[in-house]
Amino acid sequence: MGINLGDTFPNFVADTTEGTIKFHDWLGDSWGILCSHPADYTPVCTTELGCMAKLVPEFQKRKVKMIALSVDSVQDHHGWSQDINAFIEQPPVQKLPFPIIADEKRELAVQLGMIDPAERNKEGLPLTARAVFVIGPDKKLKLSILYPATTGRNFNEILRVIDSLQLTACKKVATPVNWKAGEECMVLPNIPAEEAAKLFPKGIRTEKLPSSKSYLRFTPQP
Ligand code: BEZ
């Protein structure tokens, strides 16, 4: 099982550190990010959740609600949250600034295609890979990235991708390689030149190419 870009994200019901949630109700009209973690009390996950906690203001700025998932119990999540807070030099309370889903039966891990076949706990049960799902206010999947358990994510890259997703959701541009917010964007290839000139009054720079085709069109970020 799994989920493809453009699919409606499942409206699952789950136990979390902030009580039982129904995903679509929890998301409301916001963007959302769901990050899965292989297991509680593991080193790479601890650094990742600490980083997520520190980046809450950046996600709030982008109106993105955050939620994490790991295959252990709510009780374990509370205990582990104390360690995560201590690691990032915060008061060691049993709470992070976003909920963590308890997926002990791996039901969501299977439904969302997040199992890492290479990683098992000491009972032989499979662990989750490091999945990143960004969900739009329309509840559809906008981005999915899957890392193995042994590679920690780069949350600066995830914020960069969210900037691109939110820009391209409302403006007819795409973002080029290594783009960062505020930099030049690319005019979508399916927009005819006349329409593009009206849409992008800041100007369009068309790169000359051996093929003489005019598809490499840059414009300041609208
Ligand atoms: C970790 O979070 O450190 C981790 C978890 C499972 C496998 C490998 C690393």
Side-chain angles (χ1 to χ4, degrees), residues 38-39 41-46 48 119 127-128 130 149-151:
Y41 299 108
T42 50
V44 177
C45 298
T46 301
E48 286 193 321
E119 300 296 338
L127 300 180
T128 26
R130 298 182 196 282
T150 42
T151 302

Short mmCIF file of all heavy atoms in Angstrom, two decimals, residues 38-39 41-46 48 119 127-128 130 149-151, ligand 1:
data_model
loop_
_atom_site.label_atom_id
_atom_site.label_comp_id
_atom_site.label_asym_id
_atom_site.label_seq_id
_atom_site.Cartn_x
_atom_site.Cartn_y
_atom_site.Cartn_z
N PRO A 38 11.48 5.92 12.99
CA PRO A 38 11.52 4.47 13.20
C PRO A 38 11.08 4.02 14.59
O PRO A 38 10.31 3.07 14.70
CB PRO A 38 12.97 4.10 12.92
CG PRO A 38 13.47 5.18 12.02
CD PRO A 38 12.73 6.43 12.41
N ALA A 39 11.55 4.65 15.63
CA ALA A 39 11.21 4.16 16.98
C ALA A 39 11.59 5.22 18.01
O ALA A 39 12.43 6.09 17.75
CB ALA A 39 11.96 2.87 17.28
N TYR A 41 13.24 6.60 21.59
CA TYR A 41 14.53 6.40 22.26
C TYR A 41 15.61 5.90 21.29
O TYR A 41 16.36 4.98 21.60
CB TYR A 41 14.38 5.43 23.44
CG TYR A 41 13.43 5.90 24.51
CD1 TYR A 41 12.18 5.31 24.67
CD2 TYR A 41 13.77 6.95 25.37
CE1 TYR A 41 11.29 5.74 25.65
CE2 TYR A 41 12.89 7.39 26.35
CZ TYR A 41 11.65 6.78 26.49
OH TYR A 41 10.79 7.21 27.47
N THR A 42 15.63 6.49 20.09
CA THR A 42 16.69 6.16 19.13
C THR A 42 17.43 7.46 18.78
O THR A 42 16.83 8.55 18.80
CB THR A 42 16.11 5.53 17.84
OG1 THR A 42 15.05 6.35 17.38
CG2 THR A 42 15.61 4.12 18.08
N PRO A 43 18.73 7.34 18.48
CA PRO A 43 19.55 8.56 18.40
C PRO A 43 19.19 9.52 17.27
O PRO A 43 19.01 10.73 17.50
CB PRO A 43 20.98 8.03 18.25
CG PRO A 43 20.86 6.60 17.87
CD PRO A 43 19.53 6.11 18.36
N VAL A 44 19.11 9.01 16.03
CA VAL A 44 18.87 9.94 14.90
C VAL A 44 17.50 10.60 15.05
O VAL A 44 17.34 11.82 14.86
CB VAL A 44 18.96 9.18 13.55
CG1 VAL A 44 18.65 10.12 12.39
CG2 VAL A 44 20.34 8.55 13.36
N CYS A 45 16.50 9.81 15.45
CA CYS A 45 15.14 10.35 15.64
C CYS A 45 15.14 11.45 16.69
O CYS A 45 14.41 12.44 16.56
CB CYS A 45 14.18 9.26 16.10
SG CYS A 45 13.99 7.94 14.93
N THR A 46 15.94 11.28 17.74
CA THR A 46 15.98 12.29 18.80
C THR A 46 16.50 13.61 18.25
O THR A 46 15.96 14.68 18.52
CB THR A 46 16.86 11.79 19.97
OG1 THR A 46 16.29 10.57 20.44
CG2 THR A 46 16.94 12.79 21.10
N GLU A 48 16.29 14.56 15.14
CA GLU A 48 15.30 15.08 14.19
C GLU A 48 14.13 15.77 14.91
O GLU A 48 13.72 16.87 14.54
CB GLU A 48 14.74 13.95 13.33
CG GLU A 48 15.69 13.45 12.28
CD GLU A 48 14.99 12.57 11.28
OE1 GLU A 48 14.11 11.78 11.68
OE2 GLU A 48 15.31 12.66 10.10
N GLU A 119 14.94 -2.57 8.70
CA GLU A 119 15.03 -2.25 10.13
C GLU A 119 13.94 -2.94 10.93
O GLU A 119 12.76 -2.84 10.60
CB GLU A 119 14.91 -0.72 10.32
CG GLU A 119 15.98 0.09 9.63
CD GLU A 119 17.40 -0.17 10.16
OE1 GLU A 119 17.56 -0.65 11.30
OE2 GLU A 119 18.35 0.09 9.40
N LEU A 127 10.22 -1.57 11.57
CA LEU A 127 10.20 -0.16 11.97
C LEU A 127 9.78 0.68 10.76
O LEU A 127 9.83 0.23 9.62
CB LEU A 127 11.58 0.28 12.45
CG LEU A 127 12.13 -0.48 13.67
CD1 LEU A 127 13.51 0.05 14.05
CD2 LEU A 127 11.18 -0.37 14.85
N THR A 128 9.39 1.92 11.06
CA THR A 128 9.02 2.83 9.97
C THR A 128 10.27 3.51 9.41
O THR A 128 11.21 3.78 10.14
CB THR A 128 8.05 3.93 10.46
OG1 THR A 128 8.26 4.14 11.85
CG2 THR A 128 6.63 3.57 10.22
N ARG A 130 11.86 6.94 7.38
CA ARG A 130 11.66 8.37 7.66
C ARG A 130 10.88 8.99 6.50
O ARG A 130 11.47 9.48 5.54
CB ARG A 130 13.02 9.07 7.82
CG ARG A 130 13.80 8.53 8.98
CD ARG A 130 15.13 9.22 9.19
NE ARG A 130 15.93 8.37 10.07
CZ ARG A 130 15.77 8.28 11.38
NH1 ARG A 130 14.85 9.00 11.97
NH2 ARG A 130 16.51 7.47 12.10
N ALA A 149 15.94 4.47 7.54
CA ALA A 149 16.07 4.78 8.97
C ALA A 149 17.46 5.32 9.31
O ALA A 149 17.61 6.11 10.24
CB ALA A 149 15.78 3.53 9.80
N THR A 150 18.46 4.93 8.55
CA THR A 150 19.84 5.29 8.90
C THR A 150 20.26 6.69 8.44
O THR A 150 21.37 7.12 8.73
CB THR A 150 20.80 4.25 8.29
OG1 THR A 150 20.35 3.95 6.98
CG2 THR A 150 20.82 2.97 9.13
N THR A 151 19.38 7.40 7.72
CA THR A 151 19.73 8.75 7.24
C THR A 151 18.78 9.79 7.82
O THR A 151 17.58 9.77 7.52
CB THR A 151 19.67 8.82 5.69
OG1 THR A 151 20.55 7.83 5.16
CG2 THR A 151 20.07 10.19 5.18
C1 BEZ B 1 17.90 6.17 14.89
O1 BEZ B 1 16.94 6.92 15.00
O2 BEZ B 1 19.00 6.46 15.33
C2 BEZ B 1 17.75 4.85 14.15
C3 BEZ B 1 16.59 4.12 14.28
C4 BEZ B 1 16.49 2.89 13.62
C5 BEZ B 1 17.55 2.45 12.83
C6 BEZ B 1 18.69 3.21 12.70
C7 BEZ B 1 18.81 4.42 13.38
#
